[in-house]
Amino acid sequence: MLAKLTTYSLLGIDALPVEVEVDISPGAMPKTILVGLAEAAVRESTHRIERALVNCGYVRPLDRIVINLSPADLPKEAASFDLPIAMGMLVASGQLTSDALSQYAAIGELALDGTIRPAKGALSMALAAKEQGWRGVVLPAANAQEAAVVEGIDIIPVTSLTEAVGFYSGQLEIPPQPFSWADAVASYGQYGVDYSDVRGQESAKRAVTVAAAGAHHLLMLGSPGTGKTLLASRLGTILPELAPAESLETTRIYSAVGRLQPGQALMLQRPFRSPHHTISEAGLVGGGSIPTPGEISLAHNGMLFLDELPEFNRRTLEVLRQPLEDGRVTISRAMGSLTFPANLMLVAAMNPCPCGYFGDPRRQCHCNPMVIERYMSRISGPLLDRLDIHIEVPPVPFRELSNQTAGTNSESMKSQVVAAREIQQRRFGKGSLRLNGRMPPQQIRQFCKLESDAESLLKSAMEEMGLSARAHDKILRISRTIADLEASERITASHLSEAINYRTLDRSYWK
């Protein structure tokens, strides 16, 4: 007998439909054949499925079993095919009769005792099932919350093979998994940190506010212990909440790599990724024989924090250059090319020298000039040019550390950021996600018009500092953001002067 049912396979962060065909026919010896470009995890599934069937009280067919996963040219590497294959074997062997197989897709990995374990990419699979008109999806209970976000489709949570069989046979009624946006926000949408925790550093907080308002990349340079990591880790608290579309797109990425917390439905905080400096190129931008997202995609709609920037492999850092410009990364392999989103804010921090105390008024630096120059040269000029704002984070005096008066908090900084971003939204059109930091050249010419004294100031800065054309555009973008923070239509000399100051640090340390 031949049984057919539908499941899904992940390719990158997208889910593609896979038809599972199970044919059981008489044979001299029991044999199971699995075809359809299955990777090792899928090929091994036949052993798991056979023992799960027996341990749940079903009969293992003692005949020739042929399992086909179509389309045959699509690589299949996850264990989420266990449940649909098991259901197909029960139908093909006559142990299950069901009309629901044509209405509900199936996803899930089986344990030897028949329990169903979580699968990666449940959200993408639920979205694909809705687009193709399925009534619902039967999937592991651990993935039900993330899949229930998709409206217009029934998400049926099951914990074991017997539950799935009961549902498909109509003997067990399982209500669809509900979803509450308010409950999700209450559980996963609150930050536990605030910029009031950072004593002093008001000028650095101003620079962070400018960076957040226009989505500008930021480089912080300072001695150890001055608060660079504290400033970076609280950046999400002043950014606007994730819009539903942004939240869904970010959640799809985390779902595809299995990074969602158990029971978590959505990513409601902006991602903050801080990889170690020993990370590889594939770990940073993505890779593998079947490409998977890297850290820059996990930081999509959030922040990528690179602490101790010169300690990263220089070649690893260079692969960031193109994704920072394009907001996406394309990984090409023999099986094809996959594009992952990478619209992020890059925040980097570094010491001014190997010992960390060059220029520190309280500690003596023991590095000679040649060592300092070699240390700073680990950051290439092209990458440095792509970091919009460069600031120095000085040591905090004792009087500011011991001051009981709280400094600028996240709430006041966020109100400025949100107001500036609303101005940008009106400028670029309703529904546009473009910000000042991502303006193309034609929009820079249209929206970054300078007053006459500001234009003279920019000309002098370009000639004296030897700025590149990219740095020229960066300064105009930053000036536009500073003007937006003050709700100014025109860019004045004071706005431009502050923007130029954010581009002078590299002329001091990278000569």
Side-chain angles (χ1 to χ4, degrees):
M1 187 182 296
L2 175 65
K4 294 184 179 182
L5 61 159
T6 298
T7 186
Y8 290 89
S9 177
L10 273 184
L11 189 62
I13 62 173
D14 296 319
L16 302 178
V18 173
E19 186 175 47
V20 179
E21 299 176 312
V22 181
D23 180 78
I24 299 179
S25 57
M29 293 183 63
K31 187 174 183 181
T32 302
I33 302 172
L34 178 61
V35 296
L37 203 58
E39 302 295 332
V42 184
R43 291 196 303 269
E44 294 170 353
S45 66
T46 56
H47 305 295
R48 291 193 300 271
I49 294 166
E50 289 172 358
R51 297 318 307 163
L53 288 172
V54 172
N55 291 331
C56 289
Y58 303 106
V59 177
R60 174 185 177 275
L62 298 177
D63 291 304
R64 178 185 175 89
I65 305 172
V66 179
I67 304 165
N68 179 41
L69 305 177
S70 177
D73 60 345
L74 174 68
K76 304 156 188 88
E77 62 170 355
S80 59
F81 297 98
D82 290 7
L83 181 59
I85 292 175
M87 301 302 298
M89 291 174 68
L90 290 174
V91 172
S93 61
Q95 300 179 70
L96 171 64
T97 302
S98 174
D99 295 329
L101 290 174
S102 60
Q103 301 176 18
Y104 292 87
I107 302 160
E109 176 187 346
L110 288 176
L112 296 183
D113 62 355
T115 57
I116 299 180
R117 291 173 172 159
K120 295 179 180 179
L123 176 56
S124 294
M125 295 177 184
L127 287 167
K130 179 188 176 182
E131 290 175 2
Q132 292 164 11
W134 286 86
R135 180 178 174 182
V137 182
V138 176
L139 47 65
N143 298 121
Q145 276 291 341
E146 62 179 280
V149 172
V150 183
E151 298 178 350
I153 188 170
D154 292 342
I155 302 301
I156 308 300
V158 292
T159 59
S160 66
L161 177 60
T162 52
E163 280 190 14
V165 172
F167 174 78
Y168 274 111
S169 65
Q171 297 176 354
L172 178 63
E173 185 177 344
I174 302 177
Q177 178 72 35
F179 171 71
S180 169
W181 184 275
D183 291 345
V185 171
S187 300
Y188 299 101
Q190 308 300 320
Y191 291 93
V193 294
D194 194 280
Y195 269 110
S196 60
D197 304 331
V198 183
R199 297 292 180 177
Q201 303 297 6
E202 293 301 314
S203 61
K205 290 183 183 179
R206 167 64 179 178
V208 168
T209 303
V210 174
H216 301 287
H217 305 307
L218 174 67
L219 172 66
M220 295 182 287
L221 188 145
S223 304
T226 55
K228 301 185 294 295
T229 302
L230 286 179
L231 288 164
S233 61
R234 284 152 176 75
L235 191 54
T237 64
I238 65 172
L239 292 170
E241 285 78 11
L242 283 170
E246 292 177 315
S247 178
L248 198 62
E249 189 175 26
T250 306
T251 307
R252 285 183 63 202
I253 299 171
Y254 277 74
S255 173
V257 296
R259 297 290 184 89
L260 287 178
Q261 299 179 30
Q264 183 176 3
L266 281 171
M267 291 288 295
L268 294 168
Q269 293 184 2
R270 292 191 179 270
F272 178 81
R273 304 297 301 177
S274 181
H276 193 260
H277 62 259
T278 56
I279 190 171
S280 66
E281 297 170 39
L284 189 62
V285 300
S289 56
I290 300 178
T292 55
E295 288 291 335
I296 62 171
S297 295
L298 292 172
H300 180 59
N301 290 322
M303 292 72 62
L304 177 67
F305 179 50
L306 302 182
D307 200 6
E308 304 298 342
L309 187 64
E311 301 299 332
F312 284 79
N313 183 288
R314 178 163 179 162
R315 182 175 170 179
T316 302
L317 290 178
E318 292 306 300
V319 300
L320 284 174
R321 287 159 55 176
Q322 178 263 337
L324 288 180
E325 293 284 336
D326 298 344
R328 62 183 182 275
V329 59
T330 300
I331 310 294
S332 298
R333 294 292 182 267
M335 50 74 65
S337 297
L338 291 177
T339 299
F340 300 120
N343 185 16
L344 56 92
M345 278 185 62
L346 176 62
V347 183
M350 61 180 292
N351 297 327
C353 66
C355 78
Y357 296 105
F358 178 66
D360 192 316
R362 298 179 300 184
R363 299 285 296 271
Q364 184 177 358
C365 173
H366 299 285
C367 305
N368 64 57
M370 186 66 70
V371 170
I372 296 175
E373 183 178 348
R374 190 180 305 118
Y375 180 77
M376 302 301 281
S377 66
R378 295 180 185 177
I379 313 301
S380 71
L383 178 62
L384 190 65
D385 218 21
R386 285 170 169 81
L387 297 171
D388 304 11
I389 297 176
H390 310 155
I391 60 169
E392 193 164 11
V393 184
V396 183
F398 174 76
R399 65 178 182 275
E400 293 186 10
L401 288 174
S402 59
N403 192 350
Q404 298 302 313
T405 304
T408 307
N409 59 25
S410 293
E411 184 179 357
S412 61
M413 295 168 68
K414 183 176 181 176
S415 63
Q416 299 177 59
V417 171
V418 170
R421 289 205 173 192
E422 287 175 352
I423 292 174
Q424 294 168 63
Q425 190 175 43
R426 291 194 295 269
R427 176 183 301 127
F428 299 121
K430 190 174 182 181
S432 172
L433 297 178
R434 179 163 288 164
L435 297 169
N436 289 340
R438 308 288 187 267
M439 275 193 293
Q442 62 269 27
Q443 289 188 334
I444 293 176
R445 291 190 294 271
Q446 181 180 357
F447 298 121
C448 298
K449 296 177 180 177
L450 303 177
E451 293 185 348
S452 56
D453 55 345
E455 192 167 349
S456 301
L457 178 61
L458 180 59
K459 180 181 178 182
S460 300
M462 289 287 295
E463 293 173 352
E464 293 175 10
M465 298 169 62
L467 298 174
S468 66
R470 180 182 285 113
H472 170 273
D473 288 353
K474 296 283 188 188
I475 289 175
L476 289 177
R477 291 187 183 106
I478 297 167
S479 301
R480 181 67 269 168
T481 301
I482 295 170
D484 289 342
L485 284 168
E486 297 183 5
S488 173
E489 182 65 28
R490 302 285 293 181
I491 298 175
T492 66
S494 63
H495 301 147
L496 188 68
S497 177
E498 183 179 354
I500 293 172
N501 285 335
Y502 291 140
R503 299 292 304 188
T504 58
L505 197 61
D506 57 334
R507 298 308 185 271
S508 303
Y509 288 92
W510 287 270
K511 297 181 181 178

